[in-house]
Amino acid sequence: MVEILFYIFGTILVLGALGVITSRNPVYSALLLVLCFITSAAIWLLIEAEFLAVVLVLVYVGAVMVLFLFVVMMLDVNLEELRTGFTRYAWLGWLTALAVIVEIVGVVWVRGVGIDVSKSPTPTAPDYSNTLELGRVMYTKYAYPFELAAVLLLVAIIAAISLTMRRRPGLKVQDIGKQVAVRAKDRVRIVKMNSEKRS
């Protein structure tokens, strides 16, 4: 049953990933990426990594993808220009896809070297906590790479904000100083008119 569910979720994940890279609308690509994250979380659940599955849904789907959608919508992406340049770099995309396929086939081909795949992994003890084990490894052995990843994410967030705040033609920008210093007589004009009767 676990293998059947794995192949179902794996098929959905591969199709969703293909949809992410082939969709010409960036909003659709972001939504398909949400589907990829959710199916990846389901695969994590199949291998008893509940903490990673929950973090994947809460952090990536709940926070990162919302930021992606905001950035995509605020960058004012020219969809027509994307459609015209889609086939220009298709050869580079095919080469990258071919390299990834070769790597995946190589991993699948040699996965049985030194590993007895006929035996299922031993189940963990009832009091086993993968959260404790993950935290122990992350904050001892991989503490510096973890901090480096946090710094890189901070730089990416600052870069996204600076891209959305750049000056563009036709962009309306608020001047807070002028808004605070405005007077009523500069904004409101009282006009006296004679009353009119409708016939």
Side-chain angles (χ1 to χ4, degrees):
M1 185 64 185
V2 175
E3 292 184 0
I4 295 174
L5 289 175
F6 172 77
Y7 285 117
I8 291 173
F9 290 133
T11 304
I12 296 174
L13 180 59
V14 171
L15 293 177
L18 289 174
V20 170
I21 61 176
T22 57
S23 177
R24 298 185 182 182
N25 191 327
V27 178
Y28 292 161
S29 294
L31 293 176
L32 287 169
L33 193 55
V34 170
L35 176 65
C36 292
F37 285 149
I38 292 174
T39 52
S40 298
I43 294 176
W44 280 115
L45 287 175
L46 291 178
I47 60 174
E48 298 182 0
E50 297 87 2
F51 178 75
L52 293 177
V54 171
V55 168
L56 187 62
V57 172
L58 291 180
V59 175
Y60 282 91
V61 177
V64 176
M65 287 311 304
V66 174
L67 291 176
F68 281 179
L69 286 174
F70 275 124
V71 169
V72 165
M73 293 179 179
M74 293 175 68
L75 283 180
D76 194 18
V77 179
N78 190 355
L79 297 179
E80 295 296 330
E81 185 177 351
L82 286 178
R83 291 189 181 96
T84 56
F86 181 75
T87 57
R88 185 185 309 170
Y89 301 103
W91 62 273
L92 182 60
W94 286 113
L95 285 178
T96 306
L98 182 62
V100 171
I101 291 172
V102 168
E103 290 177 359
I104 292 174
V105 170
V107 170
V108 172
W109 184 265
V110 299
R111 70 173 181 164
V113 178
I115 300 174
D116 188 4
V117 296
S118 62
K119 295 182 180 179
S120 59
T122 57
T124 57
D127 58 346
Y128 176 79
S129 174
N130 54 14
T131 305
L132 177 62
E133 294 298 327
L134 181 65
R136 184 176 296 162
V137 172
M138 184 176 292
Y139 292 108
T140 55
K141 185 178 180 181
Y142 297 103
Y144 290 119
F146 182 71
E147 294 296 329
L148 180 61
V151 172
L152 289 176
L153 286 175
L154 178 63
V155 172
I157 291 172
I158 295 173
I161 294 173
S162 63
L163 283 174
T164 58
M165 298 299 291
R166 73 182 189 274
R167 299 282 178 174
R168 298 194 301 267
L171 178 66
K172 295 181 180 180
V173 181
Q174 287 181 322
D175 192 343
I176 307 299
K178 288 183 179 180
Q179 290 179 347
V180 173
V182 73
R183 295 175 297 177
K185 66 179 184 178
D186 296 333
R187 292 294 179 100
V188 179
R189 185 176 62 179
I190 300 175
V191 179
K192 293 183 180 180
M193 296 180 61
N194 295 327
S195 58
E196 299 179 357
K197 289 184 178 181
R198 293 184 178 179
S199 56

